[in-house]
Amino acid sequence: MDIYSVLKKYFGYNSFRPGQEEIINSIIAGRNALAILPTGGGKSLCYQIPSLLSDRFSIVISPLIALMKDQVDSLNRSGVPASFINSSLDYASTEKVLTGISQNKIKLLYVSPEKLENNYFIERIKNHPPEYIFIDEAHCISEWGHNFRPSYRKIINFLKHTGVEKVSAFTATATEEVRNDIIRQLELKNAEVFVKGFERNNINLNVIRTTRKKEKALELIGMKGTPAIIYASTREGCEEVSYYLNSSGLNSAYYHAGITTELRKIIQDDFLENRVDIICATNAFGMGIDKQNIRL
């Protein structure tokens, strides 16, 4: 199959968005790439299609459990054999995934950056090395960027241990300083850099100054409708807003790292399937979640 056949068969599209085709062709040609695509610009396809065209599996490094689950569920629904390994899996479940890789039953494996520091995992992957390694939300590697995550700095050690040389990085937000830092930290040789802009004409950003935040949130939801995501800086803040909205007759749930993995999965699925209208969350939720009808 060629890239157009894969695009149509697994994702149902007849044409690529701006920038996708040249990024995919660069990766397939064996070059390292750093791609800056706006949110909703289709960066996931840029690594999913090369993975599907490869004879081996590929690893996608992703920072959030919610993001991994969302992508893997979506791929599985499209007929793509994908899985993830992160802290939500027990030993038996992790072994099942690793066995699937050794038997060539998985094409895409999503892992957290912390998993790459596990010696047992490293040895298993060395025995069945991937064709490609893709680093999603790559701005997390840079101290100059937002959402800096120290474990991203150790990805280079995993690359050296496993010997994988076909490495590409993706993000929606990176200044020139952050872009240079990503390339330097990952030691990407002769990396092709693709910058396709950040502007989204269908998104409005506003700042409202108020001391009555919960009341203002309720008012905005009444104006703009749902589904909606409300972010708070603390776990307690998420819960407080959710309780307030529910007492006002709305259907909301809160999501943060303090609730169980199983409950987070349930809440995420309920939100994606429109059984919950509003998520009140810390930044543990939402980076890369694919829900087309978000309005607020």
Side-chain angles (χ1 to χ4, degrees), residues 12-182:
Y13 301 121
N14 293 312
S15 60
F16 289 100
R17 294 179 181 177
Q20 286 181 320
E21 187 172 359
E22 58 182 311
I23 294 169
I24 291 168
N25 285 331
S26 176
I27 292 169
I28 291 173
R31 294 187 285 271
N32 297 326
L34 171 59
I36 318 297
L37 288 169
T39 299
K43 59 187 171 74
S44 299
L45 280 185
C46 295
Y47 52 76
Q48 290 167 351
I49 288 179
S51 301
L52 288 169
L53 287 169
S54 170
D55 292 331
R56 295 185 303 202
F57 84 106
S58 298
I59 286 178
V60 181
I61 300 168
S62 181
L64 296 177
I65 290 174
L67 174 56
M68 289 186 213
K69 182 181 184 306
D70 183 60
Q71 294 241 340
V72 168
D73 286 350
S74 178
L75 286 166
N76 290 163
R77 286 193 296 270
S78 300
V80 177
S83 192
F84 60 77
I85 294 177
N86 57 40
S87 60
S88 71
L89 297 188
D90 58 21
Y91 176 80
S93 299
T94 299
E95 279 298 304
K96 183 178 179 180
V97 174
L98 290 171
T99 300
I101 289 169
S102 65
Q103 296 173 347
N104 297 317
K105 293 181 178 179
I106 293 173
K107 293 297 289 182
L108 279 130
L109 174 66
Y110 286 73
V111 299
S112 63
E114 288 80 10
K115 194 66 184 178
L116 307 183
E117 301 173 48
N118 182 287
N119 290 330
Y120 178 70
F121 178 77
I122 292 171
E123 291 304 314
R124 291 292 296 267
I125 295 301
K126 280 178 70 174
N127 292 332
H128 299 279
E131 176 84 8
Y132 303 105
I133 289 180
F134 301 111
I135 301 161
D136 201 7
E137 310 296 346
H139 59 272
C140 295
I141 203 171
S142 177
E143 289 181 335
W144 300 103
H146 66 290
N147 291 334
F148 171 61
R149 189 150 162 179
S151 54
Y152 264 71
R153 290 291 183 110
K154 299 178 182 179
I155 291 173
I156 185 62
N157 298 329
F158 178 79
L159 301 180
K160 290 177 177 178
H161 282 309
T162 56
V164 180
E165 296 184 348
K166 296 178 182 178
V167 181
S168 294
F170 297 82
T171 180
T173 52
T175 62
E176 184 176 357
E177 193 170 36
V178 172
R179 294 199 295 269
N180 292 335
D181 200 20
I182 292 169

Side-chain angles (χ1 to χ4, degrees), residues 260-272:
T260 65
T261 299
E262 187 58 36
L263 184 54
R264 288 203 301 269
K265 288 180 181 178
I266 292 170
I267 292 169
Q268 181 177 342
D269 286 342
D270 284 347
F271 185 60
L272 293 175

